[in-house]
Amino acid sequence: MENSKNLYSFTLIILLTYLCEGYFNMYVLIPRYLIKEKYRSYFSLFFLMVLLFVFLQYSVEYLFFRWHNVEPGIYSFFKSSGSSFLLEFLASYFVDCIAILGAGMIVLLKYWLIKGKQKSLLEKVHMQTEVEKLKEQVNPEFLFTILHKMGDVTIDDQQRASDMLLELSELLRYQLYDSNREKVLINAEINFITNYLRIEKLYYQKMDFTISKTGDVQRVLVPPLFFLPLVQYAVKDFQEKGDSFCMNIHFRSTADFISFSCNCYSTELLESTDFDKVKQRLYTLYKDRYQLKVISGQEDGQPALYLQIDI
């Protein structure tokens, strides 16, 4: 009976050594060294720790047999001798390493999950901040340009200026309310661009425009003021030429992508530095899931500015 109690005590001590190994590895070595990418220090201390604990287990077993005058069993380390003892020692050492490393994976997995969530949240906040900055750059420039044109028209034709002011009120309503949302319907963007082009037509009477759409644009969402810079640069490209022109804009929505196309005057439109902000916003929002290019050789003989976004 006494031998059984002694055996239980010995087993409890060995179990406690394993628990101490695991605790020290998970809550001391991993946080202080492995997570901080101090790999050399971590593995040096880890293998030294396991070595010390194996020696401790051997010492406990040796003292147990010595104090209680018990012969080592067939599975005892001290039943072996010579090279067999060395093999037993190495086997025990590597088994301890694997067991403690396996237990430490729980802490690492928890850390990776938390780190991954934090990284995703930071990336989302950063992306949203970048998008807001770009929107802030677009809005003042856009309004300043329209107000400047209205000032020019007011001198010659007050009725046209009044009509431009009415259209501008629609644009401001969209900018004050809808543009503060994270995403809006493509149809809302189309209405906004239509109002904008009406203002441009009142200012530059030699222009006309058509807007068409294919697919279900009533359900697809995009960031607000997303297509406006493309239309602005295309209009500017035509106006610099000084001739009459007609803007033909087409939106297409499918299950796989949404696309925007607009005829332009110059095939080198995208080479302008004006497009740097547009490209930056596209990359921030969609990474490599978009195509922005100028397509030449269309049916009407004019090049076309084309944007496609994979859903």
Side-chain angles (χ1 to χ4, degrees):
M1 185 72 177
E2 187 175 350
N3 288 336
S4 297
K5 291 181 179 180
N6 292 330
L7 182 61
Y8 291 146
S9 299
F10 169 72
T11 305
L12 180 61
I13 292 172
I14 296 299
L15 179 60
L16 286 174
T17 61
Y18 277 109
L19 291 177
C20 289
E21 279 185 276
Y23 181 88
F24 188 78
N25 179 55
M26 288 190 291
Y27 297 104
V28 178
L29 295 183
I30 290 179
R32 291 188 181 181
Y33 299 100
L34 188 59
I35 289 177
K36 294 181 179 179
E37 299 182 357
K38 299 178 181 179
Y39 302 118
R40 183 177 299 177
S41 299
Y42 170 76
F43 286 108
S44 298
L45 291 172
F46 174 80
F47 290 127
L48 178 61
M49 176 197 70
V50 176
L51 183 63
L52 292 175
F53 273 98
V54 170
F55 272 119
L56 178 61
Q57 292 169 4
Y58 274 45
S59 300
V60 169
E61 184 175 349
Y62 175 78
L63 292 174
F64 175 81
F65 292 137
R66 186 73 178 269
W67 285 347
H68 299 286
N69 198 22
V70 177
E71 283 292 325
I74 188 172
Y75 296 109
S76 171
F77 297 115
F78 298 99
K79 193 70 175 177
S80 304
S81 61
S83 61
S84 298
F85 179 83
L86 179 61
L87 290 175
E88 289 286 344
F89 179 84
L90 291 175
S92 177
Y93 179 77
F94 286 116
V95 167
D96 273 26
C97 287
I98 294 171
I100 302 305
L101 281 174
M105 289 298 105
I106 298 173
V107 175
L108 278 179
L109 181 60
K110 181 181 178 181
Y111 168 78
W112 285 332
L113 289 174
I114 295 174
K115 198 72 173 178
K117 289 181 180 179
Q118 291 176 342
K119 184 178 179 182
S120 298
L121 181 61
L122 287 174
E123 287 179 349
K124 184 176 180 181
V125 171
H126 176 72
M127 183 184 73
Q128 192 63 34
T129 303
E130 289 297 319
V131 170
E132 290 300 324
K133 285 181 181 178
L134 292 170
K135 281 169 59 179
E136 290 172 1
Q137 292 174 4
V138 170
N139 291 355
E141 180 182 345
F142 170 68
L143 292 175
F144 176 79
T145 302
I146 291 180
L147 291 173
H148 178 72
K149 291 179 178 179
M150 287 179 61
D152 292 342
V153 172
T154 302
I155 299 173
D156 301 323
D157 192 333
Q158 293 184 359
Q159 182 58 46
R160 281 168 58 201
S162 176
D163 293 339
M164 290 178 70
L165 186 60
L166 289 175
E167 295 293 343
L168 179 61
S169 66
E170 294 294 325
L171 298 184
L172 290 176
R173 187 179 294 112
Y174 180 85
Q175 287 193 304
L176 288 173
Y177 298 104
D178 290 348
S179 67
N180 290 324
R181 300 175 185 174
E182 186 176 348
K183 289 190 175 182
V184 296
L185 292 170
I186 291 184
N187 203 50
E189 281 286 287
I190 293 174
N191 293 335
F192 178 79
I193 290 172
T194 302
N195 290 333
Y196 163 69
L197 289 176
R198 285 173 181 165
I199 291 178
E200 288 290 355
K201 185 177 179 179
L202 287 168
Y203 172 74
Y204 191 83
Q205 294 181 309
K206 291 190 291 183
M207 76 163 282
D208 201 353
F209 69 92
T210 62
I211 298 181
S212 58
K213 48 194 175 183
T214 305
D216 189 3
V217 296
Q218 298 287 349
R219 298 182 182 180
V220 180
L221 297 172
V222 293
L225 305 176
F226 191 66
F227 301 103
L228 174 63
L230 303 177
V231 177
Q232 278 184 290
Y233 295 139
V235 169
K236 180 181 176 183
D237 190 41
F238 272 118
Q239 288 179 350
E240 287 178 349
K241 181 187 176 184
D243 295 335
S244 300
F245 67 92
C246 179
M247 293 278 295
N248 298 311
I249 300 173
H250 181 71
F251 292 88
R252 184 184 180 191
S253 172
T254 70
D256 300 320
F257 66 88
I258 55 177
S259 67
F260 161 90
S261 63
C262 172
N263 61 323
C264 57
Y265 173 70
S266 173
T267 57
E268 300 177 353
L269 183 61
L270 287 178
E271 297 179 9
S272 170
T273 55
D274 293 338
F275 271 91
D276 290 344
K277 288 185 290 187
V278 176
K279 293 173 183 176
Q280 184 181 349
R281 189 183 186 197
L282 282 169
Y283 181 78
T284 301
L285 290 168
Y286 297 103
K287 302 300 181 186
D288 298 323
R289 295 187 294 113
Y290 77 92
Q291 299 179 44
L292 179 63
K293 56 187 176 181
V294 174
I295 303 174
S296 58
Q298 300 299 295
E299 293 180 1
D300 56 3
Q302 287 183 325
L305 181 61
Y306 179 80
L307 171 64
Q308 177 178 310
I309 302 166
D310 297 330
I311 300 176

